[in-house]
Amino acid sequence: MNTLCNKAQQAFSALLFTLILTILLSFQTVSAQPDGAKLFKQNCATCHKLDDTRLTGPGLKDVFKRIPDDEWFLKWVKSNTKLTASGDPYAVKISAFDVSTMNEFGFLADDEINAIGTFLKNPPAPVVGPTGPTGPTGEVHVEKGLDTFWTLVIIIIALIIIIAVLRGVKRSLSNVVNEREGKPANPDRNVWEETKVWMGANKSKVALIIIILLSIGSKMAWDAMFDIGVFTGYKPSQPIAFSHKIHAGDNAINCVYCHSTAEKSRHAGIPSTNICMNCHKGISSGATTGTTEIAKIYEAVGWDPKQMAYNMPQKPIKWNKVHNLPDFVYFSHQQHVVVGKQECQTCHGDVPNMTVAEQVSPLTMRWCIDCHRETEVPGMMANADSTLANPYYEDLHKKLAEKYKGQKITVDKMGGIECAKCHY
Amino acid sequence: MGTTKKYWKGLEELNNDPAFVQAQQNEFAEYVPVEKFLENDSLKDTSTSRRDFLKLFGFSITAATLAACEAPVNKAIPYVMKPEEITPGVANWYASTYFDGNDYCSILVKTREGRPIKIEGNEMSPITRGGVSARIHASVLSLYDTGRITGPYANKAPSTWETVDKEIGAKLSAAVAKGGSIRILSSTIISPSTKQVIADFISKYPNTKHVTYDAVSYAGIIKANAQSFDKAVLPSYSFDKAKVIVSVGADFLGSWLSPIEFTKQYSKTRKLSREKKEMSKHYQFESILSLTGSNADKRFAVKPSQYGTVVVNLYNAVAKLTGGSAVASGALPIDAQIEKVAKALVDHKGRSLVVCGANDIATQVVVNSINTLLGNYGKTVDVETPSYTKQGNDEQFISLVNEMKEGKVGALITYNANPSYTSPAGLGFNEAYAKVGLKVSFADRLDETAMNADYVCPDHHYLESWNDANPKAGHYSLTQPTISPLFAKPRNEGTRCAQETLLKWAGNESDFHSYIQKYWSSHVFPMQGKYMTFGDFWNHSLHNGVVEVGSGEDAKMAMGQDSSNVNASAKPEVAHKTTTVGGGGMFAQEVEVEVKEPKLSVAEAAQSISKSAKAGNIELVLYEKTGMGNGNQANNPWLQEFPDPVSKVTWDNYITMNPEDMKDKYHTLARYNQMEMKADTANVTVGGVTVELPVFPQPGQARGTIGIALGYGRTGAGMVADGVGKNVFTLAQVVNGTIQYTVSDVTVSDKTGNEHQMACTQTHHTMMGRSIVKETDLTTYSTQPVDVWNEKLLVTLGDKHVPASQSNLWADHDKPGHRWGMSIDLNACIGCGACVVSCNAENNVPVVGKEEVRRSREMHWIRIDRYYSSDMTVEKADAEGKGVVDKYLEMENPTTENPQVFFQPVMCQHCNHAPCETVCPVLATNHSSDGLNQMTYNRCVGTRYCANNCPYKVRRFNWFNYIENDKFAEVNPSQNDLGRMVLNPDVVVRSRGVMEKCSMCVQRIQEGKLNAKKAMKKLEDGAIQTACSKSCPADAITFGDLNNVESLVAKEVEDERTYYLLEEVGVKPSISYLTKVRNLDAEDIVMHEEHKPHHGGEEHKEEHKEEHKKEEAHS
């Protein structure tokens, strides 16, 4: 987990660096000319990569060393079918080689296509991410919370040792003094016996201390009981170091792109591996972990990146579930997302900034009910605008508005905290 | 089962060393001196005191508790490639068809994440119209049956398909080379494609003949129709068009022909409303008290040997009124009554229907003649639209057995038939089977036939396979797989669709799916004109599950198609003309019938009847139970635990005998078997076959007759069914070429001295004078003011009497939104119990087994109370000066001769002032703002106060953890991974120590509400259905929002027949009942009034009686 944190931090800084670099570079190339890099990204990148690996189409590394000339490039991109039909030998050759036909880009202006050509002739240096943890603080990183705790323990132990030593010193010194003064030596009592003697002399103080300790103890026990089964901060490591930050944060992918059933079902759903492949067919290496983590997706889904085909055995990914509700609770995502119009972040926290998914809310019944006591249902709001007004609530709203004159009509007022809403 | 491999732990075991064998018997390897240890006095001096023990005990519990607080690591494993149509958490529904050789039903299958979990009716089917029976509801559990075999068997050992195919192929070819005949023995096949497959097989092996044989045969009717109409078919019946229904021994609501279809039709004629105050009149002549008889307006208990005479006398009476000529017949004590029945029939010419359950040609010929006299053909009986669901031909089967005995059959392939179990002992099928050269079975388990077969090639379950069906002329439907085969490679060798197996042997490698498509494109598609392309037609048919190819020309073509299809398979029969007679519902064979047998006139039929009607001292009726049927699903624990609608007994079959007979003839047997009590057993002997069964006192059973249910006593069905009850198919008799399920020559022994414990879910028999079921008769209902027949209960409030509905002990709950309620029409409810099994499936109701049912711990959330009428009433007892104990004891005894029967479904009444809510110390049960009495399992601590305080006794306590406790391993399907797959993931599985009860399918309510909210529209009435209301084949249960004045349920509650169960206790239930109305004859009404146990105001009663008397005089 710690390693992951570290990796993610590294990834972040690497990404930040790359971003800044890109931005700086892009500033340099600002001109009236069409932007080849941008056009390539918009039109070509879904099928072609800049290196020599194949995507839907061939990799375009050193493409201009293969094709006849710029003129051919222009014609081919505009309409490869026309070019092939005209009997151009190279076009015929590559059409025969590849079964899938390239799209036609007749809508691109000549200078735009040329700009792409220019871009392809001088492609940016490929970004190579680190392949493993290399940072100096890599594996011995200790979490702060634990740090203070252990320091405290060590200090306490040290203090106890010091006390014991000092006590011994004190006693021998006092014995020396007594001996010199001819008084009898201090009785050879151990700490426990001495404490007993002190306790015998100070009964009221002892009673007070016991009462205070008991009160503190009970309070702690009581609080601890309420935390049984509450796993706020639960942050299990995952079989694939998936980072929500990179996906939902940096790349701003909508939550429901992957968790698509949140709007259709009670389950938000862990995305099936084929959803990952929508993007990762093309993106085979990441900035932070290079190819190691993405390769795990390929392994799971049986994708052979060399042959660009699903020809390997499938191995389902066993994710560790972060948010666990007991079996006797029926929670419906679609109810909250579609009808209640809740943001995912309301319960799941700032996921776009989480490198490792973490349980933010306690997910206790009290937490549910507290929210239901405060939240208005969009379709039930007194001043709901027409887009939110839900005809389903029409009659109920009329009756409740009459009953709770002027008050907010919250979920609980319409039965949202009744047992059988969640338990059946 | 199992492998032939031998496993051993050591050589001693392998060599069976005597010392080892002895040691093996000991549970503990070394001698443990437990007793010696406990006797030791020095124990008292040990340092472990009781205090220390308790300290340690407490500490370990605390430690264990704290250790349990650790978060378990839950895994989430998503699909690798998610199928497009699956959304986790959302159910998919597929239209399909159920046909097991007996019941036909068009169904919808609910699947969750690819697992079928629930069956509902398909409302698009014009035949079953959305109805489903208990058996079909339960069939989804049969899919996950551990009794199924997971691959082919060769010579009783698991094998591979490759081996099996090779060996069988070689043996079939050898059989053909030797000139040996091949026979395919199946139950009724209504799949035209399957018939085509068989035809293909026959063209590859021309010595093959296909013999159809039904476990419970209807050959008699088919042959009688061949006699009467030159059509060897089963007609279609329309009970919905009949005003007068007469049934002689036909349990058409429970088991006869097509009970779901008939229940739908029947209940239509029984429903009443302010606008429609007329209903059908139903007469039943029968020996056992069947489900149909229990619902009859007038029932006559007759012996089975009298069925024929009843029919002939009815014919004579009808003929007398219609100007026909009478035929010779014997006299019956009920002849006067029969004349009245005839009068009612003749009064409703063309709107009446006479049916008979006897599998006897002569009797059925007379029934046909009665219907002809009444002009019912083309109106309530339709031979032009024949039903194909029963094609069994007893004569062909009998001659097949004879052939087998002579060693003439080279190979026998049994498909969907289990003759070793279902054939009469007198036929000697088992001995004959041993003489067959090659025995192949397609059974899904090693059943009674398959366990003696050379090869078992297991077929898929119907939910795993493609199929089609042609249940009636012009009606087609499709079966589609709703799960990929459970047993498949690589883990198992797997099952294989029987049709594909046959095709493979015939040298055709195509899969059955494309085969059906091919068949449909060439045969069914051309019969319709609605869709232009086959793709369109196929997709629509598959989506709807059913397709009608229309009437008129289309239908005729369809019929022609049906027959041409069968022609092919029937062709070889020409060679066996001497042994073949009609039947099979197939036109190709009609011609033969015409040529072969001279037609039977009514007079001849009557003569034949009087000749064969020999009354015995004790006569036997073999019947099918509503739940168990012919026993093909016996290994289904839902069906085993399903209480028989009439006897309320679970997990058994038994001898039903009239209690009076028990007292008079078998006085030692006069013992009521209830709950903890035991029943005496008796031996029943028929033709040398003796079966020992417990005797169950059944009021209404005709004197001098006994009844025994078929379908029990399986030996090869699986863990659940084996050893439950006794098989009585063996007692059936072959008479006049048909298999008879009534026997007049039976010996019943006195008690054997053995006892048998039975598990009955209802111990009380009558209502003991309380108005639990309110009933009236049609005349009173339609002519008298409502107060007379649905008297409002009065309670004393202060010094005033006010209607119970107006008194309120507590403040009403505020219900601003919905207010869920249910109305149950007791007139429509026939007590079939489809709702009980539907509820089982929907709500994960555990199966508890026979022992627990005996302790009244069955878990069904909905029960159907069955009450009989009693001779004794409160008034009568008071008049006779009987003591309280005697009074109630006698009231508890039903009228034994012919009691009236009442059915009442009871589930949680969702009281507005629920007594359970006020006593729960932890608020685990409380009230919701939409009127539900909620039960929160995770809060329940199991005090059971609520159950004690419930006036309806609908709460169920989990005494055990039924899904994990080893005690229930044999009965509870959820004990294994396979059976758990049927659980509904939307409903929590309850654990031990928790109270549960009907939730009004709150999961469905929540789903329906959410769908409406998401669609941004008001909740439509009917959009939410509970499992029971959706599945009721009689449409007796209406569920909806009482706050919505437009809803059907709100309107029904306003009906004047509405009453509440135990309204006087003031709990204000949300479930209301509609008073039962019987269509009684005038003279019965007076009698009935006397019988009527409860009646409110005395004045009313007097008035009422007088009015009736007046009416009587008037009429």
Side-chain angles (χ1 to χ4, degrees), chain B residues 131-135 137 251-255 259-260 263-264 267 290-292 294-295 625-628 639 642-646 648 828-838 862-866 902-905 1028 1031-1037:
Chain B
V132 195
S133 70
R135 290 201 286 266
H137 274 304
D251 182 14
F252 60 86
L253 298 176
S255 58
I260 303 167
T263 305
K264 273 271 165 192
S267 70
S290 72
L291 183 64
T292 311
S294 314
N295 284 287
K625 273 198 187 188
T626 312
M628 195 46 65
L639 289 180
F642 171 75
D644 180 76
V646 180
K648 294 287 148 196
C829 175
I830 60 157
C832 70
C835 47
V836 176
V837 184
S838 180
I862 177 170
R863 65 170 193 262
I864 298 184
D865 284 341
R866 183 265 302 111
F902 314 90
F903 292 111
Q904 182 171 46
C1028 52
S1031 64
C1032 180
D1035 300 316
I1037 305 177

Side-chain angles (χ1 to χ4, degrees), chain A residues 191-203:
Chain A
V191 184
W192 179 233
E193 282 164 342
E194 222 161 87
T195 320
K196 275 208 275 196
V197 170
W198 180 84
M199 277 163 73
N202 302 285
K203 278 187 179 142

